[in-house]
Amino acid sequence: MRLTDHERAMLDGGHGEAAARAMDLLVRYGEALGAERLVETRNVAGAFNASTPSVREIAEDSLDRVFSELNLDSDDVIEIPHVAVPTCQLITGIDNDNFATQGVDPELADLQLRSEQYLGKRGINLMCTCTPYQVGNVPVMGEHCAWMESSAVIYANSVLGARTNVEGKESTGAAALTGRIPYWGLHCPENRFAQHLIRVETEVGDMAEWGVLGYFTGFAVEEEIPAFEGLTDQPSLVKLKHFGAAAASSGGVELYHMPGITPEAASLDAAFGPNARPEPAVYGAAERRRTWERLQNASDRKLDFVMLGCPHNSIEQMALIAELLDGKRIHSDTELWVHTPRAIRQVADRSGYTAIIEAAGGVVMSDTCPSISRKVPAGTRVIATDSAKQAHYLPAIAKVQGWFGSVEQCVNSAIAGEWLGVVQ
Ligand code: F3S
């Protein structure tokens, strides 16, 4: 791999032991991927915190050991300095305020707090969400990033036109300490052209509909890049967030082009570039219905748990849930957890939305989600969610039945204590 003088100096230890270990990791990782060089990044989003039972033992030694082992793949304990470039923490396993409701052991919650202090001292911004782009980390068009979390990566690449592959704990740890990441995959413009065409021949309206289209897309293109024609709706951040999270779940989609909506390709010709335009995969009324049915993994309508906020809710979503719950009461046999970044929760608190949701019997959670924490209310057998991504993962993770529907269907079902949704 070709290194600049500065990169060579980091590798040779001129910028300290941690940067040297990080460069060594990046060079080995890049060479395994076939990258010929590294690229500068000033935007890293990774997972650095110590909040899972498996790290409790190594954390007892020191938090430097946790970082060394999990984020630098090193058995030696390295003293970790301040990060070299802006870096944020993604979602964690524990809500610092609601850990008892989650069923998390207080000692583990305390370890997460200590870990946050450690990370904050080293300059890691504790956004603690899978949607950093909703709370201030908004990369610009063409910006090279090193992000983990598939739903955030597809949003950054497609909606913002930034450039990142789906990174891991180790590569984001090394990127944070060096400001470098291997130049390969979606960092390279020649790898960003569309390979599949999806022709939309039915209306795609609300957020759930966009999630269903995303779920169809992942199955249709797997890990490749689709472009779209025939879309008539102008989607919002929320709809594209759900679309991308679903496409990254049923497939491994990291980038898509919607001419007239996403910024990188203004036309289908620009989206395909030198690639031949293939025959389209059609998404019509029959495909929409089949995909909607595919998201239903339940038969029992008695509902134990409704999960909203995957990916983490925006403030408009919090306002809508409060409006739907205003003056109502969730059924006594059903739990409702609503997930949003802590920064958005503060706005929801001040706007009165949290109070309405809590008065109805719901819980507003931050920093985590059931798929990451692997925690659902005790005794849960049947869940419902407005997220195609959560409907895809949670039944398998929590060994429960799962219904999927719109936010209105989910909230009304939480009030009734039974699933009222119909396949649309
Ligand atoms: Fe975020 Fe958890 Fe969903 S990480 S995208 S809320 S599965």
Side-chain angles (χ1 to χ4, degrees), residues 331-412:
H331 194 278
S332 56
D333 294 342
T334 308
E335 301 268 352
L336 170 71
W337 293 0
V338 180
H339 300 78
T340 192
R342 192 162 288 271
I344 290 180
R345 188 202 156 111
Q346 285 196 350
V347 183
D349 289 353
R350 295 180 79 174
S351 308
Y353 308 144
T354 309
I356 293 172
I357 294 167
E358 289 178 349
V363 178
V364 176
M365 292 226 179
S366 293
D367 313 333
T368 190
C369 82
S371 287
I372 293 293
S373 66
R374 300 179 175 254
K375 300 281 185 194
V376 295
T380 295
R381 288 178 318 106
V382 183
I383 66 145
T385 178
D386 63 343
S387 161
K389 176 171 179 175
Q390 200 73 205
H392 179 83
Y393 287 118
L394 197 54
I397 288 173
K399 307 212 172 4
V400 293
Q401 296 182 39
W403 295 104
F404 165 81
S406 67
V407 63
E408 290 85 356
Q409 289 175 348
C410 287
V411 170
N412 291 337

Coordinates of all heavy atoms in Angstrom, one line a residue, residues 331-412:
H331 N -53.3 -0.3 26.5 CA -53.9 -1.5 27.2 C -53.0 -2.0 28.3 O -51.8 -2.0 28.1 CB -54.2 -2.6 26.2 CG -55.1 -3.6 26.7 ND1 -54.6 -4.7 27.4 CD2 -56.4 -3.8 26.5 CE1 -55.6 -5.5 27.7 NE2 -56.7 -5.0 27.1
S332 N -53.6 -2.4 29.4 CA -52.8 -2.8 30.6 C -51.9 -4.1 30.3 O -50.9 -4.3 31.0 CB -53.7 -3.1 31.8 OG -54.7 -4.0 31.4
D333 N -52.3 -4.8 29.3 CA -51.4 -6.0 29.0 C -50.4 -5.8 27.9 O -49.6 -6.7 27.5 CB -52.3 -7.2 28.4 CG -53.3 -7.7 29.5 OD1 -53.0 -7.4 30.7 OD2 -54.3 -8.3 29.1
T334 N -50.3 -4.5 27.5 CA -49.4 -4.2 26.4 C -48.4 -3.1 26.8 O -48.8 -2.2 27.5 CB -50.2 -3.7 25.1 OG1 -51.2 -4.7 24.9 CG2 -49.3 -3.5 23.9
E335 N -47.1 -3.3 26.4 CA -46.1 -2.2 26.7 C -45.8 -1.5 25.4 O -45.8 -2.1 24.3 CB -44.8 -2.9 27.1 CG -44.9 -3.7 28.3 CD -44.5 -2.9 29.6 OE1 -44.1 -1.8 29.5 OE2 -44.8 -3.5 30.7
L336 N -45.6 -0.2 25.5 CA -45.2 0.6 24.3 C -43.8 1.3 24.6 O -43.8 2.1 25.6 CB -46.2 1.7 24.0 CG -45.8 2.7 22.9 CD1 -45.7 2.1 21.5 CD2 -46.8 3.9 22.9
W337 N -42.8 1.0 23.8 CA -41.5 1.7 24.0 C -41.3 2.5 22.7 O -41.4 2.0 21.6 CB -40.4 0.7 24.2 CG -40.3 0.0 25.5 CD1 -41.3 0.1 26.5 CD2 -39.4 -1.0 25.9 NE1 -40.9 -0.8 27.5 CE2 -39.8 -1.5 27.2 CE3 -38.2 -1.5 25.3 CZ2 -39.1 -2.4 27.9 CZ3 -37.5 -2.5 26.0 CH2 -37.9 -2.9 27.3
V338 N -41.0 3.8 22.8 CA -40.7 4.7 21.7 C -39.2 5.1 21.8 O -38.8 5.6 22.8 CB -41.6 5.9 21.8 CG1 -41.4 6.9 20.6 CG2 -43.1 5.5 21.9
H339 N -38.5 4.9 20.7 CA -37.0 5.1 20.7 C -36.6 6.4 19.9 O -37.1 6.5 18.7 CB -36.3 3.9 20.2 CG -36.6 2.7 21.0 ND1 -37.8 2.0 20.9 CD2 -35.9 2.1 22.0 CE1 -37.8 1.0 21.8 NE2 -36.7 1.0 22.5
T340 N -35.8 7.2 20.5 CA -35.4 8.5 19.8 C -34.0 8.9 20.3 O -33.7 8.5 21.5 CB -36.5 9.6 20.1 OG1 -36.2 10.7 19.2 CG2 -36.5 10.1 21.5
P341 N -33.2 9.6 19.5 CA -31.9 10.0 20.1 C -32.2 10.9 21.3 O -33.2 11.6 21.4 CB -31.3 10.8 18.9 CG -32.0 10.4 17.7 CD -33.4 10.0 18.1
R342 N -31.2 10.9 22.2 CA -31.4 11.7 23.5 C -31.5 13.2 23.1 O -32.3 13.9 23.8 CB -30.2 11.5 24.4 CG -30.3 12.0 25.8 CD -29.4 11.4 26.7 NE -29.7 10.0 27.0 CZ -30.5 9.6 28.0 NH1 -31.0 10.4 28.8 NH2 -30.8 8.3 28.2
A343 N -30.8 13.7 22.1 CA -30.9 15.1 21.7 C -32.3 15.4 21.3 O -32.9 16.5 21.6 CB -29.9 15.4 20.6
I344 N -33.0 14.5 20.6 CA -34.4 14.7 20.1 C -35.3 14.5 21.3 O -36.3 15.2 21.4 CB -34.7 13.8 18.9 CG1 -33.9 14.3 17.7 CG2 -36.2 13.8 18.7 CD1 -34.1 13.5 16.5
R345 N -35.0 13.7 22.2 CA -35.8 13.5 23.4 C -35.9 14.8 24.2 O -37.0 15.1 24.7 CB -35.2 12.4 24.3 CG -36.2 12.1 25.4 CD -35.6 11.4 26.6 NE -36.5 11.7 27.7 CZ -37.3 10.9 28.3 NH1 -37.2 9.6 28.0 NH2 -38.1 11.2 29.3
Q346 N -34.8 15.6 24.2 CA -34.9 16.8 25.0 C -35.9 17.8 24.3 O -36.7 18.5 25.0 CB -33.5 17.5 24.9 CG -32.6 16.9 25.9 CD -31.3 17.7 26.1 OE1 -31.2 18.7 25.5 NE2 -30.5 17.3 27.1
V347 N -35.9 17.8 23.0 CA -36.9 18.6 22.3 C -38.3 18.1 22.5 O -39.3 18.8 22.8 CB -36.6 18.7 20.8 CG1 -37.6 19.7 20.1 CG2 -35.2 19.2 20.5
A348 N -38.5 16.8 22.5 CA -39.8 16.1 22.8 C -40.2 16.4 24.2 O -41.4 16.7 24.4 CB -39.7 14.6 22.6
D349 N -39.3 16.5 25.2 CA -39.7 16.8 26.6 C -40.2 18.2 26.6 O -41.3 18.5 27.2 CB -38.4 16.7 27.5 CG -37.9 15.3 27.7 OD1 -38.6 14.4 27.3 OD2 -36.9 15.1 28.3
R350 N -39.4 19.2 26.0 CA -39.8 20.6 26.1 C -41.1 20.9 25.3 O -41.8 21.8 25.6 CB -38.7 21.4 25.5 CG -37.4 21.4 26.3 CD -36.3 22.2 25.7 NE -36.5 23.6 26.1 CZ -35.7 24.6 25.7 NH1 -34.5 24.3 25.1 NH2 -35.9 25.8 26.1
S351 N -41.3 20.1 24.3 CA -42.5 20.3 23.5 C -43.8 19.6 24.1 O -44.9 19.7 23.5 CB -42.3 19.8 22.1 OG -41.1 20.3 21.5
G352 N -43.6 18.8 25.1 CA -44.7 18.2 25.8 C -45.1 16.8 25.2 O -46.0 16.2 25.7
Y353 N -44.3 16.3 24.2 CA -44.7 15.1 23.6 C -44.4 13.9 24.5 O -45.1 12.9 24.6 CB -43.9 14.8 22.3 CG -44.0 16.0 21.3 CD1 -42.9 16.4 20.5 CD2 -45.2 16.7 21.2 CE1 -43.0 17.4 19.6 CE2 -45.3 17.8 20.3 CZ -44.2 18.1 19.5 OH -44.3 19.1 18.6
T354 N -43.2 14.0 25.2 CA -42.9 12.9 26.2 C -43.9 12.7 27.2 O -44.3 11.6 27.6 CB -41.5 13.2 26.8 OG1 -40.6 13.5 25.8 CG2 -41.0 12.0 27.6
A355 N -44.4 13.8 27.8 CA -45.4 13.8 28.9 C -46.7 13.1 28.4 O -47.3 12.3 29.1 CB -45.7 15.2 29.4
I356 N -47.1 13.4 27.1 CA -48.3 12.8 26.6 C -48.1 11.3 26.4 O -49.0 10.5 26.8 CB -48.7 13.4 25.2 CG1 -49.1 14.9 25.5 CG2 -49.8 12.7 24.6 CD1 -49.3 15.7 24.2
I357 N -47.0 10.9 25.9 CA -46.7 9.5 25.7 C -46.6 8.7 27.0 O -47.2 7.7 27.2 CB -45.4 9.3 24.8 CG1 -45.5 9.9 23.4 CG2 -45.0 7.8 24.8 CD1 -44.3 10.0 22.7
E358 N -46.0 9.4 28.0 CA -45.9 8.7 29.3 C -47.2 8.7 30.0 O -47.6 7.7 30.7 CB -44.8 9.4 30.2 CG -43.4 9.1 29.6 CD -42.3 9.8 30.4 OE1 -42.6 10.7 31.2 OE2 -41.1 9.5 30.1
A359 N -48.0 9.7 29.9 CA -49.4 9.7 30.5 C -50.2 8.6 29.9 O -51.1 8.1 30.6 CB -50.0 11.1 30.3
A360 N -50.0 8.2 28.7 CA -50.8 7.2 28.1 C -50.2 5.8 28.5 O -50.8 4.8 28.1 CB -50.7 7.3 26.5
G361 N -49.1 5.8 29.2 CA -48.5 4.5 29.6 C -47.3 4.0 28.8 O -46.8 2.9 29.0
G362 N -46.8 4.9 27.9 CA -45.7 4.5 27.1 C -44.4 4.9 27.7 O -44.4 5.6 28.7
V363 N -43.3 4.4 27.2 CA -41.9 4.7 27.7 C -41.2 5.3 26.6 O -41.2 4.7 25.5 CB -41.2 3.4 28.2 CG1 -39.8 3.8 28.7 CG2 -42.0 2.8 29.3
V364 N -40.5 6.4 26.8 CA -39.6 7.0 25.8 C -38.2 6.6 26.1 O -37.7 7.0 27.2 CB -39.8 8.6 25.7 CG1 -38.8 9.1 24.7 CG2 -41.2 8.9 25.3
M365 N -37.6 5.9 25.2 CA -36.2 5.4 25.4 C -35.2 6.1 24.5 O -35.6 6.5 23.4 CB -36.1 3.9 25.1 CG -36.9 3.1 26.1 SD -35.8 1.7 26.6 CE -37.0 0.9 27.7
S366 N -34.0 6.3 25.0 CA -32.9 6.8 24.2 C -31.7 5.9 24.2 O -31.6 5.1 25.1 CB -32.5 8.2 24.7 OG -33.6 9.1 24.4
D367 N -30.7 6.2 23.3 CA -29.4 5.5 23.3 C -29.4 4.1 22.9 O -28.4 3.5 22.7 CB -28.7 5.6 24.7 CG -28.8 6.9 25.4 OD1 -28.9 7.9 24.7 OD2 -28.7 7.0 26.6
T368 N -30.6 3.4 22.8 CA -30.6 2.0 22.5 C -31.8 1.6 21.7 O -32.7 2.4 21.3 CB -30.6 1.3 23.9 OG1 -30.4 -0.1 23.7 CG2 -31.9 1.5 24.7
C369 N -32.0 0.3 21.4 CA -33.2 -0.3 20.8 C -33.2 -1.8 21.2 O -32.1 -2.3 21.5 CB -33.2 -0.1 19.3 SG -32.2 -1.3 18.4
P370 N -34.3 -2.4 21.1 CA -34.4 -3.9 21.5 C -33.5 -4.8 20.7 O -33.0 -5.8 21.2 CB -35.9 -4.2 21.3 CG -36.6 -2.9 21.4 CD -35.7 -1.9 20.8
S371 N -33.2 -4.5 19.4 CA -32.4 -5.4 18.6 C -30.9 -5.3 19.1 O -30.2 -6.3 19.1 CB -32.5 -5.1 17.1 OG -33.7 -5.5 16.6
I372 N -30.5 -4.1 19.5 CA -29.1 -3.9 20.0 C -29.0 -4.4 21.4 O -28.0 -5.1 21.8 CB -28.7 -2.4 19.9 CG1 -28.6 -2.0 18.4 CG2 -27.4 -2.2 20.6 CD1 -27.5 -2.7 17.6
S373 N -29.9 -4.1 22.3 CA -29.8 -4.4 23.7 C -30.2 -5.9 23.9 O -29.9 -6.5 24.9 CB -30.8 -3.5 24.5 OG -32.1 -3.8 24.2
R374 N -31.0 -6.4 23.0 CA -31.6 -7.8 23.1 C -32.5 -7.8 24.4 O -32.6 -8.8 25.1 CB -30.5 -8.9 23.2 CG -29.7 -8.8 21.9 CD -28.6 -9.8 21.8 NE -28.1 -9.6 20.4 CZ -28.3 -10.5 19.4 NH1 -28.9 -11.6 19.6 NH2 -27.8 -10.3 18.2
K375 N -33.2 -6.7 24.6 CA -34.1 -6.6 25.8 C -35.5 -6.2 25.3 O -35.6 -5.2 24.6 CB -33.6 -5.5 26.8 CG -32.2 -5.8 27.3 CD -32.3 -6.8 28.4 CE -30.9 -7.0 29.1 NZ -30.8 -8.2 29.9
V376 N -36.5 -7.0 25.6 CA -37.9 -6.7 25.4 C -38.6 -6.8 26.8 O -38.0 -7.5 27.7 CB -38.5 -7.5 24.3 CG1 -37.9 -7.3 23.0 CG2 -38.5 -9.0 24.7
P377 N -39.8 -6.3 27.0 CA -40.4 -6.5 28.2 C -40.6 -8.0 28.6 O -40.8 -8.8 27.7 CB -41.8 -5.9 28.0 CG -41.6 -4.8 26.9 CD -40.5 -5.4 26.0
A378 N -40.4 -8.3 29.9 CA -40.5 -9.7 30.3 C -41.8 -10.3 29.9 O -42.8 -9.7 30.0 CB -40.3 -9.7 31.8
G379 N -41.7 -11.6 29.4 CA -42.9 -12.3 29.0 C -43.4 -12.0 27.6 O -44.5 -12.6 27.3
T380 N -42.7 -11.2 26.9 CA -43.2 -10.8 25.5 C -43.2 -12.0 24.6 O -42.2 -12.8 24.5 CB -42.3 -9.7 24.9 OG1 -42.4 -8.6 25.7 CG2 -42.7 -9.4 23.5
R381 N -44.4 -12.2 24.0 CA -44.5 -13.3 23.0 C -44.8 -12.8 21.6 O -44.4 -13.3 20.6 CB -45.6 -14.3 23.4 CG -45.3 -15.2 24.6 CD -46.6 -16.1 24.9 NE -47.8 -15.3 24.8 CZ -48.7 -15.4 23.9 NH1 -48.5 -16.3 22.9 NH2 -49.8 -14.7 23.8
V382 N -45.6 -11.6 21.6 CA -46.0 -11.0 20.3 C -45.7 -9.6 20.3 O -46.1 -8.8 21.3 CB -47.6 -11.3 20.1 CG1 -48.0 -10.7 18.8 CG2 -47.9 -12.7 20.3
I383 N -45.0 -9.1 19.3 CA -44.7 -7.7 19.2 C -45.3 -7.1 17.9 O -45.7 -7.8 17.0 CB -43.1 -7.5 19.1 CG1 -42.6 -8.0 17.7 CG2 -42.4 -8.1 20.2 CD1 -41.5 -7.3 17.2
A384 N -45.4 -5.8 17.9 CA -45.7 -5.0 16.7 C -44.8 -3.9 16.5 O -44.3 -3.3 17.5 CB -47.2 -4.6 16.7
T385 N -44.5 -3.5 15.3 CA -43.6 -2.4 15.0 C -43.9 -1.7 13.7 O -44.5 -2.4 12.8 CB -42.1 -2.9 15.0 OG1 -41.3 -1.8 14.7 CG2 -41.9 -4.0 13.9
D386 N -43.6 -0.5 13.6 CA -43.8 0.3 12.3 C -42.5 0.2 11.5 O -42.4 1.0 10.5 CB -44.2 1.7 12.6 CG -43.1 2.5 13.3 OD1 -42.2 1.9 13.9 OD2 -43.2 3.8 13.3
S387 N -41.5 -0.5 11.8 CA -40.2 -0.6 11.1 C -40.0 -1.9 10.5 O -40.0 -3.0 11.1 CB -39.1 -0.4 12.2 OG -37.9 -0.8 11.6
A388 N -39.8 -1.9 9.1 CA -39.5 -3.1 8.4 C -38.2 -3.7 8.9 O -38.1 -5.0 9.0 CB -39.5 -2.8 6.9
K389 N -37.3 -2.9 9.3 CA -36.0 -3.4 9.8 C -36.2 -4.2 11.1 O -35.7 -5.3 11.3 CB -35.0 -2.3 10.0 CG -33.7 -2.8 10.6 CD -32.6 -1.7 10.6 CE -31.3 -2.4 11.3 NZ -30.2 -1.5 11.3
Q390 N -36.9 -3.6 12.0 CA -37.2 -4.2 13.3 C -38.0 -5.5 13.1 O -37.8 -6.5 13.8 CB -37.9 -3.3 14.3 CG -37.7 -3.6 15.7 CD -36.4 -3.4 16.3 OE1 -36.0 -4.0 17.3 NE2 -35.6 -2.5 15.8
A391 N -39.0 -5.4 12.2 CA -39.8 -6.6 11.9 C -39.0 -7.7 11.3 O -39.3 -8.9 11.5 CB -41.0 -6.2 10.9
H392 N -37.9 -7.4 10.6 CA -37.0 -8.4 10.0 C -36.2 -9.1 11.1 O -36.0 -10.3 11.1 CB -36.1 -7.7 9.0 CG -35.1 -8.6 8.3 ND1 -35.5 -9.3 7.2 CD2 -33.8 -8.8 8.6 CE1 -34.4 -10.0 6.8 NE2 -33.4 -9.7 7.6
Y393 N -35.6 -8.3 12.0 CA -34.7 -8.8 13.0 C -35.3 -9.3 14.3 O -34.8 -10.3 14.9 CB -33.6 -7.8 13.3 CG -32.6 -7.6 12.2 CD1 -32.5 -6.3 11.5 CD2 -31.8 -8.6 11.7 CE1 -31.6 -6.2 10.5 CE2 -30.9 -8.4 10.7 CZ -30.8 -7.2 10.1 OH -29.9 -7.1 9.0
L394 N -36.2 -8.5 14.9 CA -36.6 -8.7 16.3 C -37.2 -10.1 16.6 O -36.9 -10.7 17.6 CB -37.4 -7.6 16.9 CG -37.5 -7.5 18.4 CD1 -36.1 -7.5 19.0 CD2 -38.3 -6.3 18.8
P395 N -38.1 -10.6 15.7 CA -38.7 -11.9 16.0 C -37.6 -13.0 16.2 O -37.7 -13.8 17.1 CB -39.5 -12.2 14.7 CG -40.0 -10.8 14.3 CD -38.8 -10.0 14.5
A396 N -36.5 -12.9 15.3 CA -35.5 -13.9 15.5 C -34.6 -13.7 16.7 O -34.3 -14.6 17.5 CB -34.6 -13.9 14.2
I397 N -34.3 -12.4 17.0 CA -33.4 -12.1 18.1 C -34.1 -12.4 19.4 O -33.5 -12.9 20.3 CB -33.0 -10.6 18.1 CG1 -32.0 -10.3 16.9 CG2 -32.4 -10.1 19.4 CD1 -31.7 -8.9 16.7
A398 N -35.4 -12.0 19.6 CA -36.1 -12.1 20.8 C -37.0 -13.4 20.9 O -37.7 -13.6 21.9 CB -36.9 -10.9 21.1
K399 N -37.0 -14.1 19.8 CA -37.8 -15.4 19.7 C -39.2 -15.0 20.0 O -39.9 -15.6 20.9 CB -37.3 -16.4 20.6 CG -35.8 -16.7 20.4 CD -35.4 -18.1 20.7 CE -33.9 -18.4 20.3 NZ -33.1 -17.3 19.8
V400 N -39.8 -14.1 19.2 CA -41.2 -13.7 19.4 C -41.9 -13.7 18.1 O -41.2 -13.7 17.0 CB -41.3 -12.2 20.0 CG1 -40.7 -12.2 21.4 CG2 -40.5 -11.2 19.1
Q401 N -43.2 -13.6 18.1 CA -44.0 -13.3 16.8 C -44.0 -11.8 16.6 O -44.0 -11.0 17.5 CB -45.4 -13.8 17.0 CG -45.6 -15.3 17.2 CD -47.1 -15.6 17.3 OE1 -47.9 -15.1 16.6 NE2 -47.4 -16.6 18.2
G402 N -44.0 -11.4 15.3 CA -43.9 -10.0 15.0 C -44.9 -9.5 13.9 O -45.0 -10.2 12.9
W403 N -45.7 -8.5 14.2 CA -46.5 -7.8 13.2 C -45.8 -6.5 12.7 O -45.2 -5.9 13.5 CB -47.9 -7.4 13.9 CG -48.7 -8.6 14.3 CD1 -48.9 -9.0 15.6 CD2 -49.5 -9.4 13.5 NE1 -49.8 -10.1 15.6 CE2 -50.2 -10.3 14.3 CE3 -49.7 -9.5 12.1 CZ2 -51.0 -11.3 13.9 CZ3 -50.6 -10.5 11.6 CH2 -51.2 -11.4 12.5
F404 N -46.1 -6.2 11.5 CA -45.6 -4.9 10.9 C -46.8 -4.1 10.4 O -47.7 -4.7 9.8 CB -44.7 -5.2 9.7 CG -44.4 -4.0 8.9 CD1 -43.4 -3.1 9.3 CD2 -45.1 -3.8 7.7 CE1 -43.2 -2.0 8.5 CE2 -44.8 -2.7 6.9 CZ -43.9 -1.8 7.3
G405 N -46.8 -2.8 10.6 CA -47.8 -1.9 10.1 C -47.4 -0.5 10.2 O -46.3 -0.2 10.6
S406 N -48.4 0.4 9.9 CA -48.1 1.8 10.0 C -48.0 2.3 11.4 O -48.5 1.5 12.3 CB -49.2 2.6 9.3 OG -50.4 2.4 10.0
V407 N -47.5 3.5 11.7 CA -47.5 4.0 13.1 C -48.9 4.1 13.6 O -49.1 3.8 14.8 CB -46.7 5.3 13.1 CG1 -47.4 6.4 12.4 CG2 -46.5 5.7 14.6
E408 N -49.9 4.5 12.8 CA -51.2 4.6 13.3 C -51.7 3.2 13.7 O -52.4 3.0 14.8 CB -52.2 5.2 12.2 CG -51.9 6.6 11.9 CD -50.8 6.9 10.9 OE1 -50.2 5.9 10.5 OE2 -50.6 8.0 10.6
Q409 N -51.5 2.2 12.9 CA -51.9 0.8 13.2 C -51.3 0.3 14.5 O -51.9 -0.3 15.4 CB -51.6 -0.2 12.1 CG -52.4 0.0 10.9 CD -51.9 -0.9 9.7 OE1 -50.9 -1.5 9.8 NE2 -52.8 -1.0 8.7
C410 N -50.0 0.7 14.7 CA -49.3 0.2 15.9 C -49.8 0.9 17.1 O -50.0 0.2 18.2 CB -47.8 0.5 15.7 SG -46.9 -0.6 14.6
V411 N -50.0 2.2 17.1 CA -50.5 2.9 18.3 C -51.9 2.5 18.6 O -52.2 2.2 19.8 CB -50.4 4.5 18.1 CG1 -51.1 5.2 19.2 CG2 -49.0 4.9 17.9
N412 N -52.8 2.4 17.6 CA -54.2 1.9 17.9 C -54.2 0.5 18.5 O -55.0 0.2 19.3 CB -55.0 2.1 16.6 CG -55.2 3.5 16.3 OD1 -55.1 4.4 17.1 ND2 -55.5 3.8 15.0

